[in-house]
Amino acid sequence: HVDRIGTHVVSVIMHVADSGDHEWPLNIFDHNGKEHNVTIKAGEMVLYESATCVHGRPSKYLGDYYVNAFAHFRPKGKWVQFLRNLHKEGKLEIYSRGPGEIDNEWKVDGPVLTHDEL
């Protein structure tokens, strides 16, 4: 999947703890389509472009527990208006998810935003 481009442009996964008996790689496809399998240990983190790089964990975790914390970042300012303009110009079709509560809400002109302009 890719994340919401309005709020999750860049993300970090912080690996907190696991049962210690199994790895669980994160698959990330870069901008050239190359797949990267990233495995992190407790206390480590991975920073990646979550709105533009397809990512996920397609395998089931085989251990007892796996704890992560997540943080997501977006550009400051009128980011959503910038996205709307790109969409109107037909330059945003590669992204599958928008920043609104409803995935396509951000494409519509008008005051649909409620959290600090997203």
Side-chain angles (χ1 to χ4, degrees):
H1 70 275
V2 292
D3 291 342
R4 295 179 185 280
I5 194 168
T7 55
H8 295 53
V9 177
V10 174
S11 296
V12 62
I13 298 173
M14 298 160 277
H15 185 46
V16 178
D18 60 55
S19 55
D21 47 357
H22 296 282
E23 292 183 341
W24 197 25
L26 173 69
N27 295 10
I28 303 174
F29 289 85
D30 66 23
H31 292 278
N32 295 315
K34 182 179 177 186
E35 182 179 13
H36 301 269
N37 294 307
V38 180
T39 301
I40 55 177
K41 298 174 185 165
E44 296 180 336
M45 63 178 98
V46 60
L47 180 71
Y48 61 103
E49 293 183 45
S50 54
T52 58
C53 294
V54 175
H55 61 280
R57 297 182 194 268
S59 61
K60 181 179 177 180
Y61 182 61
L62 300 175
D64 292 329
Y65 64 90
Y66 197 91
V67 181
N68 284 332
F70 301 87
H72 307 285
F73 305 90
R74 64 168 176 83
K76 187 176 180 179
K78 303 239 181 238
W79 179 240
V80 171
Q81 187 59 48
F82 174 75
L83 294 176
R84 286 177 177 161
N85 291 339
L86 284 179
H87 177 70
K88 286 178 188 176
E89 296 170 13
K91 298 178 182 175
L92 203 58
E93 297 305 318
I94 62 169
Y95 302 107
S96 63
R97 300 182 72 188
E101 291 298 316
I102 301 170
D103 284 346
N104 290 321
E105 179 182 6
W106 63 277
K107 295 177 183 176
V108 180
D109 282 328
V112 296
L113 308 173
T114 57
H115 185 268
D116 185 34
E117 275 282 314
L118 283 184

